[in-house]
Amino acid sequence: MGQKYEGVMSGGGLKIAIVATRWNEFIVERLTDGATDALRRHGVNDSAIDIAMAPGAYEVPFVARKLAETGRYHGIVALGCVIRGATPHFDYVAGEAASGVAATSRDTGVPISFGVLTVDTIEQAIERAGTKAGNKGAEAALALLETINLCRAIEENE
Ligand code: INI
Protein backbone atom coordinates (compact mmCIF):
# COMPACT_ATOMS: atom_id res chain seq x y z
CA MET A 1 0.00 0.00 0.00
CA GLY A 2 1.18 3.50 -0.74
CA GLN A 3 0.71 6.64 1.31
CA LYS A 4 -2.39 7.21 3.42
CA TYR A 5 -3.14 10.88 4.08
CA GLU A 6 -5.22 11.98 7.04
CA GLY A 7 -6.05 15.31 8.60
CA VAL A 8 -5.87 15.77 12.35
CA MET A 9 -8.46 17.99 14.00
CA SER A 10 -6.04 20.46 15.43
CA GLY A 11 -6.29 24.21 14.99
CA GLY A 12 -3.15 25.63 16.63
CA GLY A 13 -1.75 28.53 14.60
CA LEU A 14 -4.69 28.60 12.17
CA LYS A 15 -6.61 31.70 11.14
CA ILE A 16 -10.26 30.92 10.40
CA ALA A 17 -13.16 32.96 9.03
CA ILE A 18 -16.80 32.21 9.60
CA VAL A 19 -19.44 33.55 7.23
CA ALA A 20 -22.87 33.45 8.87
CA THR A 21 -26.29 34.76 7.84
CA ARG A 22 -28.66 37.22 9.46
CA TRP A 23 -31.56 35.22 7.97
CA ASN A 24 -32.88 32.77 10.58
CA GLU A 25 -30.57 34.41 13.10
CA PHE A 26 -32.11 32.49 16.01
CA ILE A 27 -30.79 29.24 14.50
CA VAL A 28 -27.60 30.57 12.91
CA GLU A 29 -26.39 32.15 16.16
CA ARG A 30 -26.39 28.68 17.69
CA LEU A 31 -24.51 27.26 14.73
CA THR A 32 -21.96 30.07 15.12
CA ASP A 33 -21.61 29.37 18.85
CA GLY A 34 -21.12 25.67 18.07
CA ALA A 35 -18.50 26.40 15.43
CA THR A 36 -16.50 28.89 17.52
CA ASP A 37 -16.63 26.60 20.56
CA ALA A 38 -15.37 23.62 18.50
CA LEU A 39 -12.59 25.72 16.94
CA ARG A 40 -11.45 27.03 20.34
CA ARG A 41 -11.52 23.58 21.93
CA HIS A 42 -9.32 22.31 19.11
CA GLY A 43 -6.66 24.93 19.57
CA VAL A 44 -7.72 27.91 17.45
CA ASN A 45 -7.07 31.21 19.24
CA ASP A 46 -10.15 33.32 19.90
CA SER A 47 -8.43 36.28 18.22
CA ALA A 48 -7.79 34.12 15.12
CA ILE A 49 -11.52 33.65 14.42
CA ASP A 50 -13.14 36.39 12.31
CA ILE A 51 -16.86 36.49 11.54
CA ALA A 52 -18.57 38.08 8.51
CA MET A 53 -22.35 38.49 8.55
CA ALA A 54 -24.06 37.90 5.18
CA PRO A 55 -27.72 38.84 4.64
CA GLY A 56 -28.95 35.40 3.58
CA ALA A 57 -27.71 32.02 2.40
CA TYR A 58 -27.85 33.21 -1.20
CA GLU A 59 -25.09 35.76 -0.46
CA VAL A 60 -22.88 33.32 1.47
CA PRO A 61 -20.76 32.17 -1.53
CA PHE A 62 -20.05 35.76 -2.56
CA VAL A 63 -18.96 36.78 0.93
CA ALA A 64 -16.93 33.58 1.32
CA ARG A 65 -15.10 34.40 -1.91
CA LYS A 66 -14.27 37.90 -0.65
CA LEU A 67 -12.85 36.40 2.53
CA ALA A 68 -10.91 33.71 0.64
CA GLU A 69 -9.41 36.24 -1.76
CA THR A 70 -7.87 38.25 1.07
CA GLY A 71 -5.43 35.36 1.53
CA ARG A 72 -5.69 35.87 5.29
CA TYR A 73 -7.46 32.62 6.16
CA HIS A 74 -6.44 28.98 6.23
CA GLY A 75 -10.10 28.07 5.87
CA ILE A 76 -13.69 29.27 6.09
CA VAL A 77 -16.81 27.88 7.76
CA ALA A 78 -20.06 28.74 5.94
CA LEU A 79 -23.10 28.84 8.22
CA GLY A 80 -26.76 29.50 7.49
CA CYS A 81 -30.23 28.04 7.52
CA VAL A 82 -32.72 27.71 4.67
CA ILE A 83 -36.18 26.48 5.65
CA ARG A 84 -38.40 25.11 2.91
CA GLY A 85 -41.65 26.31 4.43
CA ALA A 86 -40.35 29.84 4.67
CA THR A 87 -39.67 30.41 0.99
CA PRO A 88 -41.10 29.52 -2.38
CA HIS A 89 -37.60 29.86 -3.79
CA PHE A 90 -36.05 27.40 -1.33
CA ASP A 91 -34.44 25.37 -4.10
CA TYR A 92 -32.77 28.41 -5.64
CA VAL A 93 -31.46 29.75 -2.34
CA ALA A 94 -30.34 26.37 -0.97
CA GLY A 95 -28.93 25.28 -4.34
CA GLU A 96 -26.95 28.46 -4.83
CA ALA A 97 -25.58 28.30 -1.30
CA ALA A 98 -24.34 24.72 -1.77
CA SER A 99 -23.00 24.93 -5.31
CA GLY A 100 -21.67 28.46 -4.79
CA VAL A 101 -19.68 27.48 -1.71
CA ALA A 102 -18.25 24.42 -3.48
CA ALA A 103 -17.27 26.49 -6.53
CA THR A 104 -15.70 29.18 -4.35
CA SER A 105 -13.62 26.64 -2.47
CA ARG A 106 -12.45 24.95 -5.68
CA ASP A 107 -11.72 28.26 -7.47
CA THR A 108 -9.80 29.89 -4.63
CA GLY A 109 -8.09 26.78 -3.24
CA VAL A 110 -9.21 27.78 0.27
CA PRO A 111 -11.04 25.01 2.14
CA ILE A 112 -14.63 26.01 2.95
CA SER A 113 -16.87 23.72 4.95
CA PHE A 114 -20.63 23.74 4.51
CA GLY A 115 -22.70 24.28 7.64
CA VAL A 116 -25.77 25.70 5.93
CA LEU A 117 -28.86 23.82 7.11
CA THR A 118 -31.38 22.99 4.39
CA VAL A 119 -34.47 21.74 6.19
CA ASP A 120 -38.22 21.39 5.78
CA THR A 121 -39.26 22.78 9.15
CA ILE A 122 -38.05 25.03 11.95
CA GLU A 123 -38.15 21.97 14.24
CA GLN A 124 -35.59 20.20 12.03
CA ALA A 125 -33.43 23.32 12.18
CA ILE A 126 -33.60 23.45 15.99
CA GLU A 127 -32.68 19.76 16.19
CA ARG A 128 -29.49 20.47 14.20
CA ALA A 129 -28.55 23.66 16.03
CA GLY A 130 -27.44 22.23 19.34
CA THR A 131 -30.25 19.90 20.40
CA LYS A 132 -31.00 16.26 19.59
CA ALA A 133 -29.20 16.02 16.25
CA GLY A 134 -26.08 17.79 17.50
CA ASN A 135 -24.73 21.08 16.24
CA LYS A 136 -24.01 21.25 12.52
CA GLY A 137 -21.92 24.39 13.03
CA ALA A 138 -19.54 22.48 15.28
CA GLU A 139 -19.45 19.60 12.78
CA ALA A 140 -18.62 21.98 9.93
CA ALA A 141 -15.83 23.57 12.01
CA LEU A 142 -14.24 20.18 12.70
CA ALA A 143 -14.58 19.12 9.05
CA LEU A 144 -12.75 22.31 8.13
CA LEU A 145 -9.84 21.66 10.52
CA GLU A 146 -9.59 18.10 9.20
CA THR A 147 -9.55 19.30 5.57
CA ILE A 148 -6.94 22.00 6.22
CA ASN A 149 -4.66 19.50 7.93
CA LEU A 150 -5.28 16.85 5.26
CA CYS A 151 -4.15 19.37 2.60
CA ARG A 152 -1.04 20.08 4.67
CA ALA A 153 -0.24 16.37 4.97
CA ILE A 154 -0.55 15.96 1.20
CA GLU A 155 1.59 19.06 0.53
CA GLU A 156 4.30 18.00 3.00
CA ASN A 157 4.81 14.86 0.95
CA GLU A 158 5.40 16.78 -2.29
N1 INI B 1 -32.22 33.19 3.17
C1 INI B 1 -31.83 32.28 4.09
O1 INI B 1 -30.66 32.27 4.50
N2 INI B 1 -32.71 31.38 4.59
C2 INI B 1 -34.01 31.34 4.17
O2 INI B 1 -34.79 30.48 4.67
C3 INI B 1 -34.44 32.30 3.20
N3 INI B 1 -35.82 32.33 2.77
O3 INI B 1 -36.67 31.67 3.39
O4 INI B 1 -36.16 33.03 1.82
C4 INI B 1 -33.50 33.22 2.69
N4 INI B 1 -33.82 34.12 1.76
C5 INI B 1 -33.02 35.27 1.46
C6 INI B 1 -31.93 35.01 0.43
O5 INI B 1 -30.88 34.23 0.99
C7 INI B 1 -31.31 36.33 -0.06
O6 INI B 1 -30.76 37.03 1.03
C8 INI B 1 -32.35 37.24 -0.75
O7 INI B 1 -32.99 36.52 -1.81
C9 INI B 1 -31.65 38.50 -1.35
O8 INI B 1 -30.68 38.14 -2.33
Side-chain angles (χ1 to χ4, degrees):
M1 190 173 125
Q3 192 75 36
K4 182 177 182 186
Y5 300 110
E6 282 182 303
V8 294
M9 287 185 197
S10 143
L14 296 181
K15 178 107 177 148
I16 304 294
I18 295 173
V19 51
T21 64
R22 295 195 190 284
W23 251 90
N24 292 321
E25 193 181 11
F26 173 80
I27 299 294
V28 179
E29 264 183 8
R30 273 134 194 100
L31 298 177
T32 306
D33 288 348
T36 50
D37 181 59
L39 291 172
R40 283 194 206 107
R41 283 191 294 117
H42 288 78
V44 182
N45 261 328
D46 206 27
S47 61
I49 306 171
D50 292 344
I51 302 185
M53 298 302 299
Y58 187 82
E59 285 78 24
V60 161
F62 181 78
V63 176
R65 187 174 293 254
K66 283 283 169 201
L67 290 164
E69 286 173 350
T70 65
R72 289 200 293 265
Y73 302 103
H74 294 94
I76 299 169
V77 187
L79 300 176
C81 173
V82 195
I83 304 173
R84 188 179 291 276
T87 171
H89 56 287
F90 171 91
D91 292 316
Y92 296 106
V93 174
E96 174 55 23
S99 62
V101 163
T104 301
S105 191
R106 278 197 305 271
D107 292 351
T108 61
V110 176
I112 307 176
S113 64
F114 190 67
V116 178
L117 302 179
T118 53
V119 292
D120 289 328
T121 64
I122 185 100
E123 288 75 20
Q124 289 176 348
I126 291 168
E127 280 171 16
R128 289 158 179 75
T131 60
K132 70 180 184 190
N135 186 309
K136 298 297 169 192
E139 283 180 27
L142 294 183
L144 180 70
L145 295 184
E146 189 174 352
T147 306
I148 292 169
N149 288 312
L150 171 60
C151 293
R152 287 182 159 186
I154 294 168
E155 284 163 8
E156 274 162 18
N157 203 46
E158 278 169 3

